[in-house]
Amino acid sequence: ITQLQVIDKEWLTPHLVRLTFTGADGASLADFPVGEFTDTYVKVELPPRGVDLGWPYDGEVVREQRPAHEWPVLRSYTIRSFDPSAGVLALEFVVHGDDGVAGPWARDVEPGGPTSRIQVRGPGGGYAPDPEADHHVFVGDASALPAIAVALERLPLGVSADVVIAVENSADEIPLPSAADVNITWQVVAKDTDIADALAEAVTSRELPTSD
């Protein structure tokens, strides 16, 4: 378990906020073992809203001594960036009102504030773009944006990619830089629409190259 503290906060869109962390209470992140995977993630551990578990706390002790509705919850988030020399990492959170635990926390947290320290487990990961492939296809909703963004940044010159991302409206679109030749489709999906069906239709309706 690694203890982190929010030191910076940036709203990228009305529904996506980037939080930058350093080690809590002056701890160094220089040796945090982020590998080469573009989907490297941590499991963020957060108390339920309104529950004060103190700091630091032991999740196992909490589960032994407190009722289940006060147990911390785990949510997986892709590491958007990590700078070992500066000892900082960034995570991006999708925020939709009061839905969930992590989204409202990320919306409300203030750098250095009383709720700015969290615990994370990991990191883990298992995917990076195949360097031998000529073409790549990335598909996801807004919660997949960090992993897709990191993968696109990793693609070299000379390859291409199709990207289809479902968002609530055009204000949720963000720049996705890449050295590759990238064709991005932002699929605006109404709240009452099945995102998986909308993404599947968007992908199957386009003509993909026959290369590897």
Side-chain angles (χ1 to χ4, degrees):
I1 292 179
T2 301
Q3 296 172 343
L4 304 177
Q5 182 159 15
V6 181
I7 59 170
D8 193 34
K9 180 177 183 178
E10 178 186 6
W11 285 94
L12 305 179
T13 76
H15 297 112
L16 188 67
V17 61
R18 177 180 295 164
L19 299 181
T20 302
F21 300 83
T22 189
D25 303 319
S28 172
L29 293 182
D31 296 326
F32 195 64
V34 173
E36 293 301 310
F37 298 123
T38 58
D39 69 343
T40 298
Y41 64 89
V42 291
K43 288 188 176 292
V44 175
E45 184 176 278
L46 288 168
R49 294 182 68 194
V51 175
D52 183 4
L53 298 179
W55 182 267
Y57 64 85
D58 185 319
E60 295 303 319
V61 173
V62 170
R63 289 175 175 83
E64 292 174 1
Q65 299 180 352
R66 296 217 186 188
H69 68 272
E70 295 186 357
W71 293 356
V73 297
L74 293 174
R75 297 291 184 269
S76 297
Y77 282 89
T78 300
I79 295 176
R80 180 62 183 85
S81 64
F82 176 62
D83 183 344
S85 60
V88 296
L89 64 83
L91 306 175
E92 295 174 358
F93 296 77
V94 175
V95 179
H96 286 291
D98 290 331
D99 292 344
V101 174
W105 171 80
R107 176 196 63 195
D108 298 336
V109 70
E110 294 299 334
T115 65
S116 63
R117 294 181 296 187
I118 62 170
Q119 300 187 151
V120 300
R121 302 184 185 189
Y127 169 79
D130 184 348
E132 302 300 321
D134 302 311
H135 189 77
H136 303 261
V137 179
F138 300 101
V139 186
D141 63 7
S143 67
L145 270 172
I148 291 174
V150 176
L152 289 175
E153 290 174 354
R154 189 76 60 86
L155 295 182
L157 283 167
V159 304
S160 57
D162 276 281
V163 182
V164 181
I165 302 171
V167 291
E168 189 171 313
N169 56 59
S170 58
D172 293 319
E173 300 176 13
I174 63 173
L176 293 172
S178 179
D181 179 13
V182 180
N183 177 21
I184 301 175
T185 297
W186 295 95
Q187 188 78 10
V188 176
V189 179
K191 286 185 178 181
D192 57 350
T193 301
D194 187 291
I195 291 179
D197 288 345
L199 286 173
E201 182 178 353
V203 174
T204 56
S205 64
R206 66 200 305 147
E207 184 174 347
L208 298 176
T210 57
S211 56
D212 183 16

